[in-house]
Amino acid sequence: MRKLLPLLFIIGSIATAQAQDTTAVRQACGDEVRSLCAGIMPGGGRIKQCMIEKFDQLSDACRSAVKDAKAQKGGK
């Protein structure tokens, strides 16, 4: 059990960081997603693809949040 606790802590920290990244992107990009990707049904990466296709139309704050989230995930 003692060996498992550090692993659980690391996994929890990673999950928390990913959730914070997602929240930052949603806050920075929410209005733009609703306007630029209005007809896109969520799921299957469709919203992400829409944002990629319209990346040049996103605000600086949104682009920055997306880039930061991508960097936190190791560029994936």
Side-chain angles (χ1 to χ4, degrees), residues 3-23:
K3 292 181 182 180
L4 186 60
L5 258 115
L7 179 61
L8 291 174
F9 178 74
I10 291 169
I11 292 170
S13 297
I14 292 169
T16 299
Q18 288 175 343
Q20 290 171 343
D21 291 339
T22 301
T23 299

Side-chain angles (χ1 to χ4, degrees), residues 43-76:
R46 290 184 286 268
I47 298 292
K48 182 179 177 180
Q49 185 60 38
C50 176
M51 290 181 70
I52 290 169
E53 291 171 3
K54 303 194 181 209
F55 193 77
D56 61 326
Q57 297 176 45
L58 300 176
S59 68
D60 291 338
C62 179
R63 275 188 259 180
S64 179
V66 170
K67 288 178 183 176
D68 289 346
K70 185 174 180 178
Q72 290 293 324
K73 291 181 183 179
K76 295 179 183 175

